[in-house]
Amino acid sequence: MRTFAALLLVLLTACATRGVERERFDQPGEADAYFIAKRGITDDASLRYAAARTQLEKMSRNRIASDANGVRNFRAWTFLGPGNIGGRTRSLLIDPTNPRVMYAGTVSGGVFKTSDGGERWNPLTDALANLSIGAMAMDPKDTNTIYAGTGEGYFREDVRGTATPIRGNGIFATHDGGSSWIQLTTTNDPDFQWVNDLVVSAHDSRRVYAATRSGVLRSNDGGINWTRVLPVTVKGGCFDLALRAGADGDEFLASCGTFEQATVYRNAHAESESSWDAVLSPPGMGRTSLAFAPSDSSIVYALAASNDPGPGGHFAQGGLLGVFRSDDGGRTWSPRATNADANRVNTVLLSNPLSALAPCDGTVSDSWVSMGWHCNVIVVDPLDPNRVWAAGVDLFRSDDGGRNWSIASYWWPDETEQRASYVHADQHVIVFDPAYDGVANQTMFAANDGGVYRTDNARATLRPDVSALCDLGASGVHFVSLNHNFGATQFYHGTVFPDGRHWLGGAQDNGTVFGDSSSGIDGWTMPVGGDGGFGAVDPIEPRFIYTQWQNASLVRSTDGGKSWSGARTGINDNFLFIAPLLLDPNERTRLWVGGRRLWRSTNQAGSWNATSPILDSMISAIAIAPNTPQVAVIGTTSGAILRTSNALQSSVNWLTITPRAGFISSITFDPTNTSTIYATYANFGGAHVWKSLDGGVTWNASDGSGVESIPDIPVHSLLVDPQQPSRLFLGTDLGIFVSTDAGGHWSVESSFPSVITETLVFGQGEYGRALYAFTHGRGAWRAELEQPATPRRRVAQ
């Protein structure tokens, strides 16, 4: 039997060699571990972020696109895209009075709005202090009033041990359709760092309910004051709320708990202080989603993940426990489908079908990748209480009340295959068009790790047998992407081609993506899958391109990205999830990559040789001195900095110094004076920018002081302006900072979103020299630094 590792290698190799436009086997758990490594685990991360945001308000402001008097005199930051790749989207609202108006909440890019049914989305919250949207709710009596809860919950935060800005900062509200937002002051509290669900009462729109890590909270005055009505201590708190408007009150179901015993609670009068009764809690139940049937609200379904291994040891955590149904409003329940069913399709509702059961390569795999802790959603057809949709990695539908299921979407087809039923992996929300009638209008929307998708034939025929899992023609339900100017891509790294008209970036869950000025925001492509990492482009012959997916799975193209081949010959090492890769600035055929050792290629990644001993920690940053190719400096995940002056010799001597403990995120030479070197640290605590004036022998902190210092937040990238070497640009978890005195004082770049900024790089722009920023949540951006009389060209918008 083919192992999952072997199957994965086959699929990923196919991606690299054929030029697959779609993602391949993202690894959310490993991605979380990388975030942990960069930032460090701290119990008071939320307090540090709060303090950092307070300091930002007091800092001096910088605007890159300004003249000496602070007046903007040419193009400021321009969003480059991708607008068509998408990003993790956990909430989707449709205005029932005008269904072409929709709002999408992304986990690190904020709220987006469309007024034309998804033909174009526009960001609404770039100026908010927190762009991590975990849940949204619309006032049913005033559709311009929307509540946005921040934090991605325990899905990827506390359960996985991370301490990242995915943690939220309360609830924000708008009363003008997103034009302006206010933070609900009383939610600036630890209870609201993870807002997993929000619901507004149908009886009284001033009454709002929030599912958080500490339970269910209720406000009777539009969010001014809150009362905890269902306190819980179970891991994860409460995740899902289901409301049935009773004749005289709010009848609620709430599911609470994940990775330990979960429970569904019921309250017939949640607007009062009535009790919450435990109504569903079979042994081993983990994260559970809930849905009332709109056409018969006495019928309600629950989709439950399992905390325990299933039959045969499948899915240690996160696979299907069961689909449950109640016919009396949630008082009593019965199982409809379980992980032990003879119908094998049922068993993969919360797992990756391709790795678990699909015989797509001629064998039946038995490697279960289960995601019910991360992606778990169930809804009921508005007109048929027996037609139910459930989703984990892919979308499934049951037409017999949840007893039997058929696959409806596929995450894995490549660009040469039928793609009518393609939907990006990892589903988080399903919503029906308010005018859905099941005949003329069968429109349904799904939001996932790749943005927003729509189908106009949600009731189309599905094939029920297991072979349909790998047959792209088995689903009659066809989808289209609504990712148009939907700028929520989460980059880890970005690179600009020498002509300034092409760009590439490695993105979480979306591979390596390519954009160019002629194709515009919505013309980006994905030739290499997986979780994309560092990339590089030959400055003289840009047909030579180098990139990777997770764990330094290196590939290269010699024809400008049309075809790809593996590029790891000679390497035997372990690497970070996102490994540093560098094209030597002195020699375009020489590349460097870091794992436990530093590796060098002198033949355009044709083969590699180790140039350092095995280190105690991983290499996380690499720099080669411009015009001095023998001088190399590397940073590690322990905070150690190693330097050498004979980097090109067969036997390299390394000297080590540790300015502070922590994860070194970047090493940067001053291009005008290679004795000056900067190192940045990504983890909390201690100084984040260190400078050496003697080639790396001694180091001193350059964070500034007082309100003109860098807040205690993770720092990822530092750029020295070669024309003004005292001007530094810094990419952080809260946007961009600027120093004009080589790190003595810092100001905040106020014209840029407060978003995780992973990579800053200079390149050719529309007018001349430009600064590029690749963010983890708001895609790629460019700011012009020069203004000739006549623009060289314009980027397609």
Side-chain angles (χ1 to χ4, degrees), residues 109-191:
V111 179
F112 290 78
K113 179 180 181 179
T114 179
S115 298
D116 52 18
E119 291 300 317
R120 180 180 175 87
W121 297 83
N122 294 299
L124 299 179
T125 54
D126 280 351
L128 289 191
N130 192 291
L131 300 184
S132 174
I133 307 300
M136 294 193 300
M138 179 180 289
D139 185 335
K141 297 180 180 179
D142 177 8
T143 59
N144 284 317
T145 293
I146 296 168
Y147 299 92
T150 60
E152 202 189 354
Y154 273 50
F155 305 117
R156 293 169 55 84
E157 186 80 17
D158 232 37
V159 163
R160 311 291 284 192
T162 65
T164 75
I166 293 173
R167 186 177 300 221
N169 190 35
I171 298 174
F172 294 80
T174 178
H175 300 289
D176 54 16
S179 296
S180 61
W181 295 82
I182 58 170
Q183 184 187 45
L184 302 181
T185 306
T186 52
T187 66
N188 186 14
D189 178 272
D191 279 337

Side-chain angles (χ1 to χ4, degrees), residues 51 84 144 147 154 196 238 243 278 281 308 333 347 382 409 465 502 506 520 534 582 588 613 647 649-650 711 738 795:
N84 59 317
N144 284 317
Y147 299 92
Y154 273 50
N196 299 325
C238 296
L243 168 66
S281 188
D308 303 320
W333 297 79
T347 66
S409 72
D465 57 277
H502 300 78
F534 280 60
L582 177 69
R588 66 182 184 82
Q649 304 303 311
S650 57
V738 181
V795 173

Side-chain angles (χ1 to χ4, degrees), residues 426-678:
D426 300 352
Q427 313 307 314
H428 302 299
V429 60
I430 303 171
V431 182
F432 289 92
D433 188 293
Y436 182 95
D437 61 16
V439 183
N441 185 324
Q442 298 183 34
T443 299
M444 184 187 80
F445 302 87
N448 47 57
D449 278 6
V452 183
Y453 291 76
R454 185 192 77 224
T455 177
D456 293 321
N457 65 337
R459 286 192 170 187
T461 301
L462 302 177
R463 205 173 77 208
D465 57 277
V466 69
S467 66
L469 294 175
C470 60
D471 183 352
L472 298 176
S475 172
V477 181
H478 297 165
F479 294 87
V480 294
S481 169
L482 297 186
N483 295 330
H484 309 296
N485 198 53
F486 194 69
T489 301
Q490 296 171 303
F491 281 114
Y492 288 122
H493 185 262
T495 302
V496 180
F497 281 68
D499 65 358
R501 304 185 184 202
H502 300 78
W503 322 284
L504 69 86
Q508 192 278 326
D509 199 18
N510 283 294
T512 297
V513 293
F514 282 62
D516 64 80
S517 58
S518 60
S519 299
I521 290 171
D522 289 341
W524 289 59
T525 60
M526 187 195 303
V528 179
D531 286 276
F534 280 60
V537 178
D538 189 313
I540 305 301
E541 292 189 74
R543 63 188 177 91
F544 289 96
I545 306 171
Y546 311 90
T547 188
Q548 58 182 304
W549 59 79
Q550 60 265 30
N551 306 310
S553 299
L554 299 168
V555 294
R556 72 171 181 174
S557 174
T558 61
D559 55 11
K562 296 176 183 178
S563 62
W564 297 83
S565 60
R568 277 180 58 107
T569 300
I571 292 178
N572 180 20
D573 202 354
N574 296 318
F575 294 86
L576 285 172
F577 183 74
I578 303 298
L581 171 70
L582 177 69
L583 182 66
D584 196 310
N586 305 291
E587 171 53 59
R588 66 182 184 82
T589 63
R590 191 163 54 235
L591 292 97
W592 306 80
V593 67
R596 284 283 183 185
R597 293 181 287 180
L598 182 65
W599 296 83
R600 180 183 67 213
S601 171
T602 58
N603 57 0
Q604 298 176 300
S607 61
W608 298 83
N609 293 289
T611 61
S612 77
I614 298 175
L615 305 179
D616 293 334
S617 54
M618 292 286 193
I619 295 172
S620 52
I622 306 169
I624 305 296
N627 303 314
T628 314
Q630 292 279 8
V631 175
V633 180
I634 57 178
T636 70
T637 56
S638 67
I641 296 175
L642 290 80
R643 71 186 193 282
T644 182
S645 58
N646 66 336
L648 301 182
Q649 304 303 311
S650 57
S651 178
V652 180
N653 298 317
W654 295 92
L655 300 175
T656 304
I657 188 171
T658 304
R660 59 158 285 200
F663 187 110
I664 297 178
S665 51
S666 72
I667 301 285
T668 308
F669 281 94
D670 180 337
T672 66
N673 180 2
T674 55
S675 293
T676 300
I677 314 171
Y678 295 89

Side-chain angles (χ1 to χ4, degrees), residues 196-197 211-212 215-216 230 232 234 236-242 252-258 262-266 276 280 285-290 302-303 376:
N196 299 325
D197 201 3
T212 77
V216 178
L230 175 59
V232 299
V234 66
C238 296
F239 286 92
D240 204 15
L241 299 174
F252 256 100
L253 294 173
S255 71
C256 307
T258 187
T263 303
V264 174
Y265 298 90
R266 179 178 179 272
W276 293 77
L280 180 65
M285 187 169 86
R287 183 188 166 194
T288 301
S289 56
L290 303 163
L303 174 65
N376 182 321

